[in-house]
Amino acid sequence: MRDNAATRGAAARKLWRYAGALAAAALLCGVLLGGLSAWFLGSVAIAGLTSAAYSFNVHIPGALVRLFAVGRTAARYGERLTGHHAALADQTTHRVGLFEAMAAAPTVRGAGWQLADQARLADYLDDVEDLDFARLRADLPALLLAAGLIGALIATAFVAPLALIPIIALLCALGAMAQQLARAGATSWAQTRLLRRQAAQQFGAALTSAVPLQAEQAWAGRCADALGRFSQAEEAQRALRLAQAGLDALASLLGPVAGVSIFAAAWFAGARGEALLIPAFLAFSWVALAETAQGPSRMVVAALRRRAAKAEIERWIGTATQPAHSPTRSPAGLTALHTSMQRRAPDGRPLGARLTLALTAGRPTILTGASGVGKTSLLKQIAGWIGQDSMESETGPLSAEDRRRMAMFCPHDAAILTDTVRANLFATALPDEELWQALEAVELADRIDAAGGLDGWIAQDMLSLGEAQRLNLARAWLSTKPLILLDEPTEHLRADQGQRILARLVERLDDRIVVMSSHNATGLPDAATIRL
C-alpha cells in the first residue's frame, strides 16, 4: 500500500508541475495580449497620422495578438483539466491515509457512533474537500499572482518608477485588508460552523423526541432555539461575505490605478507620441494581470478554511484523553413531603381511596403492585404532572407547579435524544469527571469509552433497552433536583446488576427524597414500601 501511495504521489506531483506550467503560460499570454493590444492600437493611431501608415505592417502584431489570445484560452483550459486531475490524484492519496488514521484512532475504533451524527459527518466531508482542493483554490493562484506582481513591479521600476508609489501603496492596503480578512474570517467561519452544527443537532434531537418534548411543553422552545442558531450562522456567514466583497472591490482598483499611474508618470517624465507606446504596453499589462487576479478573497478564504479543516480533522483522528474520575455531591434542598391525596388517572378520574404519603429524605419510598394499578400515575401526581394537589413540606405547602420545578422524573422507557452522550446526560454544565463517575456507577462507562466517549453520537436504536435504562439512571445520579422519582428503575436489567446500581444510586441520593415504583419490593435497607 505504501508503494501505491508513493506512485500516486509521484504522479500527482508531475501533474501539478504541468498544471503550474500551463497556468503560468495562461497568465503570460494574458499579460502579453493586453499589453500588445494596447501597443498595437497606439501604434496604428500614431502611424495613421503620418506617412508611416502606408508602410506600417499590421500582420505580425495582429498575428501575435491572435496567437496570445488562442494561447491564453488553450492554457486556461489545459490548466483547469490538469489542475483538477492533480487535485483528484491528491484526493485519492490523501483520503486513503486519512481514513486509515481515523480507523486507527482510539476515539472511533470499533464504533459507528461518530458517523451517525449527520451534521458532524457533513462537516467532516466538507473539511476533507477543503483540504483536497486547497492547493488548487489557494496555493496555485497565489503563487502565480505573486510571480506576476513581481515581474510587473520590476518592469514598472524601469519604465515609470514614480508609478510605483501609488501601486505599492495600494498593494500594501490590499495586504493589510487580506490579513484582516484572514483573522476576522477565521472567527466568522468557526462561528458559522459551530452554530450550524449546534442548530442541526438541536433540531434533529427535537424532531426525534417530539412526543416527550411536547408533553413537557418544551417543543416550541427547542425548535425556536435551533432556528435562531441557524439565523445566527447566516449572520456570521454574511459578515464573512461582506469582508470578502470589500477586499475584492479594492483589488478591482489595482489595474486602473496601475495603468493611470504609469501613464501619468511617463507623461510627467516627458514621454510623448511614440515614447508612450512602451508605458501603454506596461499599463495594459497591469490591467490584464489585475483581471487575471480578480477575486483574491477566494484565495484567503480557501486558505483559512484549509487551516480550520486541518485542525478539525486532527481532532477527529487524534488520541482522546481519558478524563479523571472524582465524585462531586450535588446539593439537595427538600427533606420531607407529606399529604393525604386522592389518587387520579392520567385523564383526571379518581382512583380508589385517598392515600396518605409521608416522604422523607434518606429513606426511599417504594410503590409496589401489579401492572395497571397506577404506580406510574401516582409518581406523576407526586411530580405535579397530574392533578393540582398541594403537598406540605418543611417550608410550607408546595403546589403542583412548585413540585414540577423540584422533581426529576425518570420514566421506565428512557427517551434517548439523537445527540451526544454528554447532551443525553442532561448535565452539560458539569465537569467531565462527574459525568464519567455517573456512567461508572450505572456500569456503562466502558461501553461509552469504547464507543467514542462523552462526545460520541447516539440515537434511540443504538442502545439496548438495558443500556438506555442505565443511561436514564445516570441522569438521576447527576440531577440536582431534591425530589427524584424513578419509574421501574431496574426494568430491562439483570436482577443482580439492578440491585447493585440501585444501591449505589440510593446511597448517592441519601440527602434527597427518592420515590420509585416496582412490581416487587426491592431489597433496599430502610426503605418504606407502599402497596397499591
Side-chain angles (χ1 to χ4, degrees):
M1 184 172 290
R2 281 192 290 268
D3 292 340
N4 292 336
T7 302
R8 288 194 300 266
R13 287 191 294 271
K14 186 176 181 180
L15 288 171
W16 278 118
R17 286 195 293 269
Y18 288 154
L22 288 169
L27 178 62
L28 181 61
C29 287
V31 170
L32 291 176
L33 176 62
L36 183 60
S37 298
W39 178 89
F40 187 25
L41 292 175
S43 298
V44 170
I46 292 173
L49 300 176
T50 65
S51 58
Y54 297 100
S55 60
F56 187 80
N57 187 351
V58 300
H59 300 292
I60 293 178
L64 289 174
V65 168
R66 288 192 294 272
L67 175 64
F68 291 145
V70 172
R72 181 184 66 172
T73 302
R76 279 183 176 177
Y77 279 108
E79 179 265 330
R80 289 178 183 178
L81 290 173
T82 310
H84 280 82
H85 190 183
L88 290 173
D90 268 358
Q91 183 184 67
T92 302
T93 303
H94 185 208
R95 293 195 180 191
V96 168
L98 195 59
F99 281 106
E100 284 179 350
M102 281 193 64
T107 53
V108 293
R109 183 187 294 125
W113 287 13
Q114 299 285 359
L115 296 183
D117 177 358
Q118 297 300 318
R120 190 173 297 178
L121 176 58
D123 278 349
Y124 175 74
L125 295 178
D126 289 342
D127 288 337
V128 172
E129 183 179 349
D130 287 340
L131 284 183
D132 290 337
F133 291 97
R135 183 179 294 184
L136 187 64
R137 296 169 179 169
D139 295 347
L140 186 58
L143 182 62
L144 290 174
L145 178 60
L149 287 175
I150 291 172
L153 288 171
I154 292 174
T156 304
F158 282 100
V159 175
L162 288 178
L164 289 175
I165 297 175
I167 293 174
I168 291 177
L170 181 57
L171 289 176
C172 290
L174 283 171
M177 185 172 284
Q179 288 184 345
Q180 183 179 2
L181 173 62
R183 290 192 297 268
T187 302
S188 296
W189 181 242
Q191 186 179 12
T192 298
R193 285 168 54 96
L194 178 62
L195 288 170
R196 283 177 177 172
R197 179 180 296 176
Q198 290 176 344
Q201 290 174 353
Q202 289 181 354
F203 203 64
L207 287 176
T208 56
S209 307
V211 174
L213 287 176
Q214 288 177 349
E216 297 174 10
Q217 298 181 349
W219 165 257
R222 287 286 187 96
C223 290
D225 189 38
L227 294 175
R229 289 183 184 276
F230 275 125
S231 298
Q232 293 173 19
E234 288 303 314
E235 285 296 320
Q237 187 70 3
R238 187 173 72 89
L240 177 58
R241 289 171 181 160
L242 286 175
Q244 286 184 252
L247 178 60
D248 291 340
L250 186 61
S252 67
L253 299 176
L254 180 60
V257 168
V260 171
S261 300
I262 289 171
F263 272 115
W267 186 272
F268 182 77
R272 301 291 187 275
E274 294 182 6
L276 284 174
L277 291 178
I278 299 300
F281 183 100
L282 180 60
F284 279 86
S285 296
W286 269 100
V287 172
L289 176 63
E291 181 183 356
T292 304
Q294 281 184 353
S297 68
R298 291 194 294 270
M299 304 178 212
V300 176
V301 171
L304 69 88
R305 287 182 63 161
R306 173 173 55 186
R307 288 194 297 271
K310 185 177 180 181
E312 184 70 9
I313 287 179
E314 285 177 352
R315 188 183 70 82
W316 268 75
I317 65 177
T319 303
T321 56
Q322 181 70 21
H325 307 313
S326 61
T328 302
R329 294 304 303 269
S330 300
L334 182 67
T335 60
L337 279 177
H338 58 89
T339 187
S340 174
M341 66 167 57
Q342 173 63 59
R343 292 173 54 210
R344 296 189 179 278
D347 59 4
R349 291 180 293 105
L351 293 176
R354 297 183 67 86
L355 180 68
T356 299
L357 289 176
L359 310 177
T360 307
R363 187 184 186 192
T365 299
I366 304 173
L367 309 177
T368 66
S371 296
V373 76
K375 300 186 298 295
T376 301
S377 296
L378 181 54
L379 286 176
K380 291 180 178 180
Q381 198 170 350
I382 295 172
W385 288 21
I386 296 176
Q388 295 298 324
D389 304 280
S390 177
M391 298 184 71
E392 294 294 329
S393 71
E394 66 272 24
T395 59
L398 295 178
S399 66
E401 183 179 355
D402 294 332
R403 298 197 306 278
R404 282 197 295 271
R405 289 195 299 266
M406 304 175 72
M408 165 66 174
F409 181 80
C410 288
H412 68 279
D413 288 328
I416 304 300
L417 304 179
T418 304
D419 209 324
T420 61
V421 175
R422 185 190 306 276
N424 268 281
L425 289 172
F426 299 163
T428 54
L430 294 180
D432 286 4
E433 57 267 22
E434 192 161 349
L435 303 183
W436 280 109
Q437 183 198 15
L439 293 172
E440 286 177 347
V442 298
E443 302 179 9
L444 199 58
D446 291 341
R447 172 76 166 98
I448 298 301
D449 188 38
L454 294 173
D455 293 314
W457 195 257
I458 58 175
Q460 188 80 47
D461 58 354
M462 292 181 184
L463 299 181
S464 68
L465 293 176
E467 289 168 341
Q469 183 73 332
R470 283 181 279 158
L471 184 63
N472 201 25
L473 294 177
R475 295 168 178 168
W477 178 283
L478 295 167
S479 175
T480 59
K481 299 296 182 65
L483 178 58
I484 308 296
L485 305 170
L486 309 174
D487 190 14
E488 300 289 352
T490 59
E491 192 172 14
H492 310 306
L493 303 180
R494 297 192 317 271
D496 58 333
Q497 184 183 47
Q499 288 298 319
R500 289 196 306 269
I501 293 174
L502 197 57
R504 296 188 196 111
L505 183 59
V506 168
E507 183 180 0
R508 159 80 174 187
L509 302 175
D510 63 359
D511 57 345
R512 326 286 181 85
I513 296 176
V514 178
V515 186
M516 67 186 74
S517 65
S518 177
H519 290 296
N520 301 299
T522 61
L524 294 176
D526 300 326
T529 302
I530 299 177
R531 182 172 298 276
L532 302 179

